[in-house]
Amino acid sequence: MAVLVLRVIPDPVLRQTAASVALADIPKLKSLVVDMVQTMDANQGVGLAAPQVGRGLRLIVASTVQGPLALFNPVLSRRSLRTELGEEGCLSIPGVYGRVRRSVRVAVSGVAPDGQPMRFTAKGFFARVLQHEVDHLNGVLFIDRTKKITTGRERLEAMLGGTTAGDSASQPSG
């Protein structure tokens, strides 16, 4: 197994909607799951989506207290109305951090690497991680959701070729 190369902005794969994974294809992706977990751990991440390693598939991995979780075709079916503003960074946007408002609780469903359906509720930081990773599957980055870049604005502008991350990134947080 291997640590994979992380894709960083402005790599186009990070802005594409990832394709659903057919149930029959899940067993063929076992080594990708292992490689993604190793890549996440080697980079001190808490979550990773397949597009971040150049694969346009609906697959995420995340750290949990029980060990790594892998989920194919994840869906966030319910989000709490209660939200929380929190600092986020991203392995695909190194050195940049911003404040993002996320739901504090989400209902999650998807398929485990063994092909079995999974359903659970995530809350707190784990809910934040899952929302961040599912955003990646839809071509959305945390810089699209931030109200304020708190660290690395100049670095972000350099990565984007001298442009800012959008109007919302330059507004003060509310």
Side-chain angles (χ1 to χ4, degrees), residues 159-173:
M159 286 188 272
L160 293 174
T163 63
T164 59
D167 294 340
S168 65
S170 60
Q171 297 174 356
S173 62

Side-chain angles (χ1 to χ4, degrees), residues 7-27:
R7 301 294 180 97
V8 296
I9 62 166
D11 191 311
V13 72
L14 298 172
R15 292 303 193 169
Q16 296 168 354
T17 301
S20 293
V21 178
L23 248 141
D25 292 336
I26 290 174

Side-chain angles (χ1 to χ4, degrees), residues 60-139:
I60 63 171
V61 297
S63 293
T64 74
V65 293
Q66 294 88 16
L69 166 79
L71 196 59
F72 289 90
N73 304 325
V75 174
L76 306 179
S77 57
R78 285 191 322 271
R79 297 173 190 249
S80 66
L81 294 177
R82 191 168 142 239
T83 61
E84 188 173 76
L85 199 58
E87 187 92 346
E88 290 188 22
C90 181
L91 296 175
S92 292
I93 313 173
V96 178
Y97 298 88
R99 296 173 53 111
V100 178
R101 184 165 297 283
R102 302 269 189 194
S103 295
V104 297
R105 180 183 224 109
V106 292
V108 183
S109 61
V111 181
D114 65 3
Q116 295 301 307
M118 290 183 69
R119 292 188 194 288
F120 59 93
T121 300
K123 57 185 177 179
F125 183 71
F126 186 45
R128 176 174 295 279
V129 170
L130 294 175
Q131 290 169 85
H132 178 109
E133 299 311 328
V134 169
D135 271 354
H136 271 296
L137 303 181
N138 297 317

